[in-house]
Amino acid sequence: MLIRKAADLTYVDVTPKQVYLNRRRFLEAMGIVGATAIAGRRLFELAAPSETALAASKFSGLLKSPFSTTEKENSYQDVTHYNNFYEFGTGKEDPAKNAQKFDTSNWMVSVEGDVSKPRKFSMDEILKIAPLEERVYRHRCVEAWSIVVPWIGFSFSNLVNLVEPTQKATFVAFHSYYDSRQMPQGKWAGIEFPYVEGLRLDEAMNPLTLLGVGMYGESLPNQDGAPVRMVIPWKYGFKSIKSLVKIKFQSKMPPTTWNLAAPNEYGFYSNVNPNVDHPRWSQARERRLGEIFKRATLMFNGYGDQVASLYAGMDLKKYY
Ligand SMILES: Nc1nc2c(c(=O)[nH]1)N[C@H]1C(S)=C(S)[C@@H](COP(=O)(O)O)O[C@H]1N2
Ligand SMILES: [Mo]
């Protein structure tokens, strides 16, 4: 894995000489050093002040995303111990416990369907598709709780452009990994696996749509969808499919797990919308983890400026 934990970084990793060797190494270093430096914090304890300052200032300009919110991030503890990952159990604390030994080595993601250049990507190849950015996004679960997470990744459009979708491709289907031996708790989850999701191609191409490979300066914890997941911040959290193994471009609208389970409750679009209630609860308000009082839920989770045009002329009560 190219993203190492801060504790694995050595003095050599943060020396400027290494950073300047050539462009490729430079980009790799951004993934390794920059992400950690930006998320801040622990790297400063590891290196002499001069090197640290240089590494941090070198990388910060390049890696900070203009799409980041300035809202207060939730704690790492919250985001890694209050999860929905039904393959590892339906309790909020189950994934942190049950995904500990999830084996994500030798991971491959197959990109196929209506594309000119279908191919399989290793994780090392995925990490080199585009420079890694830190993006602090709001995440709103359909269950009416929300978190703010400093993700690491890059716009999914970078991957799309590499494989060159054909004229037929109007949707993208996503599949999660599933192995009942590694995920025995999935048998009692009450939904079908592998977990599947989908986007319209124009939604997938929106720069906000993130291919996520890390959070809080480190690679993704298993319970948050290691080693690679989608993050679509203006849609309910269940669209942000974890532990991706297949991406397929196609002309038909793909089936989605929660729509298959309860079609009257969960639609294909699932844009965050305070004006369209879930049949069993209101979506007007949400509880930010760690806060006592509920806050108003924003249309498109507050990302309307970037995405509202995708749905111009569509009745969002009908296309929920
Ligand atoms: N494969 C898979 N992906 C999934 C889920 C799941 O159960 N399985 N849960 C979804 C839901 S409902 C939410 S809210 C987010 C939670 O992501 P987090 O646990 O990293 O906060 O993951 C989504 N992606
Ligand atoms: Mo969710």
Side-chain angles (χ1 to χ4, degrees), residues 13-313:
D13 289 310
V14 292
T15 51
K17 198 170 78 197
Q18 173 132 354
V19 166
Y20 286 114
L21 279 178
N22 61 42
R23 185 173 156 74
R24 164 146 299 197
R25 294 283 289 280
F26 180 64
L27 292 178
E28 286 175 356
M30 289 209 317
I32 298 162
V33 180
T36 311
I38 273 180
R41 316 145 181 164
R42 276 153 295 185
L43 186 63
F44 287 83
E45 293 156 26
L46 292 166
S50 54
E51 277 88 20
T52 304
L54 201 101
S57 60
K58 265 275 167 273
F59 297 117
S60 60
L62 287 161
L63 293 174
K64 287 257 184 217
S65 168
F67 299 124
S68 286
T69 174
T70 53
E71 283 171 59
K72 186 172 177 284
E73 291 170 16
N74 279 89
S75 68
Y76 182 84
Q77 176 68 21
D78 275 355
V79 174
T80 57
H81 290 79
Y82 191 89
N83 297 105
N84 278 333
F85 199 168
Y86 274 30
E87 289 88 332
F88 291 108
T90 57
K92 291 286 181 280
E93 289 171 15
D94 288 348
K97 218 170 43 222
N98 298 331
Q100 288 296 325
K101 291 192 188 129
F102 181 30
D103 180 12
T104 60
S105 57
N106 306 314
W107 197 267
M108 297 295 287
V109 181
S110 172
V111 185
E112 50 195 76
D114 294 323
V115 290
S116 308
K117 298 179 172 167
R119 60 176 279 193
K120 290 183 165 63
F121 290 87
S122 69
M123 272 313 291
D124 279 356
E125 289 169 332
I126 285 179
L127 292 169
K128 286 174 190 160
I129 289 175
L132 300 177
E133 301 171 25
E134 181 175 71
R135 293 205 194 167
V136 187
Y137 277 166
R138 290 178 291 275
H139 172 104
R140 168 59 156 86
C141 177
V142 75
E143 298 163 338
W145 53 268
S146 66
I147 45 180
V148 174
V149 185
W151 301 104
I152 297 167
F154 49 80
S155 292
F156 180 71
S157 62
N158 289 290
L159 181 149
V160 177
N161 292 333
L162 272 185
V163 298
E164 298 176 9
T166 65
Q167 286 294 315
K168 282 204 264 172
T170 41
F171 290 95
V172 192
F174 301 97
H175 290 230
S176 285
Y177 179 86
Y178 181 61
D179 173 4
S180 60
R181 281 166 309 163
Q182 285 211 71
M183 300 158 154
Q185 298 84 9
K187 285 185 204 110
W188 299 283
I191 56 175
E192 292 279 328
F193 297 119
Y195 194 100
V196 291
E197 259 303 336
L199 293 171
R200 235 171 40 195
L201 185 60
D202 59 341
E203 297 178 315
M205 290 302 287
N206 188 280
L208 280 181
T209 300
L210 187 81
L211 192 67
V213 296
M215 53 162 60
Y216 297 91
E218 300 175 1
S219 50
L220 282 175
N222 289 344
Q223 62 265 40
D224 288 285
V228 56
R229 69 176 294 172
M230 297 301 294
V231 184
I232 305 128
W234 73 95
K235 293 177 177 283
Y236 290 121
F238 64 83
K239 299 292 291 183
S240 294
I241 184 171
K242 293 177 168 180
S243 302
L244 269 178
V245 289
K246 189 161 108 178
I247 300 170
K248 188 174 179 194
F249 292 77
Q250 55 192 61
S251 56
K252 274 209 194 104
M253 183 182 275
T256 60
T257 290
W258 281 103
N259 177 256
L260 291 171
N264 60 320
E265 301 191 353
Y266 309 103
F268 176 82
Y269 287 94
S270 296
N271 295 310
V272 174
N273 189 340
N275 310 313
V276 177
D277 287 339
H278 187 279
R280 291 183 280 131
W281 60 84
S282 165
Q283 293 292 24
R285 302 178 74 73
E286 69 197 54
R287 192 174 73 86
R288 181 70 47 88
L289 287 199
E291 294 181 359
I292 296 165
F293 299 106
K294 288 197 169 184
R295 57 170 72 210
T297 287
L298 304 176
M299 187 66 205
F300 298 117
N301 202 22
Y303 296 98
D305 285 352
Q306 289 98 323
V307 302
S309 61
L310 292 169
Y311 312 102

